[in-house]
Amino acid sequence: GRAFKSISLTATALSTGEKFYTNADSNGNYLFEGLPVNDNYLITIKSRGLRFEPDSKIITLNSDLANIDFTAYPSITRGSK
C-alpha cells in the first residue's frame, strides 16, 4: 500500500463547538485523545493531494470507538495531465 502524508482530522463537538485535532500516521491510522464521551462529533478529514469519501462523518461517542474509516483517492486538479 501507499504511505500517507499530512492527513489531518478534526473532531468538533456538536454540543459545544469545541475542536480536537489529530494527524493520521503513514498507514492512515489515527487516534483522538481526550474526547469527552456522551457527545456527538463531526469528524472531518483533509490532506493535500487527496480527497476522501466521505469527507466527514457524524459519530456518537459513548465509549471507545474503532473503525471510523475514510477512503482516500488522488485529487484531480484542473490543468494536470
Side-chain angles (χ1 to χ4, degrees), residues 32-73:
F32 284 102
E33 294 186 287
L35 291 181
V37 295
N38 300 319
D39 207 342
N40 297 312
Y41 293 90
L42 174 65
I43 309 295
T44 55
I45 185 168
K46 294 181 183 178
S47 179
R48 186 175 183 175
L50 295 173
R51 64 181 175 84
F52 296 90
E53 287 292 330
D55 61 357
S56 65
K57 290 186 178 188
I58 294 177
I59 58 114
T60 300
L61 183 62
N62 294 318
S63 63
D64 288 344
L65 286 178
N67 301 317
I68 308 297
D69 296 328
F70 297 87
T71 303
Y73 299 95

Side-chain angles (χ1 to χ4, degrees), residues 3 16 23 29 74 77 80-81:
T16 65
N23 293 305
N29 299 308
T77 57
S80 64
K81 296 182 180 185

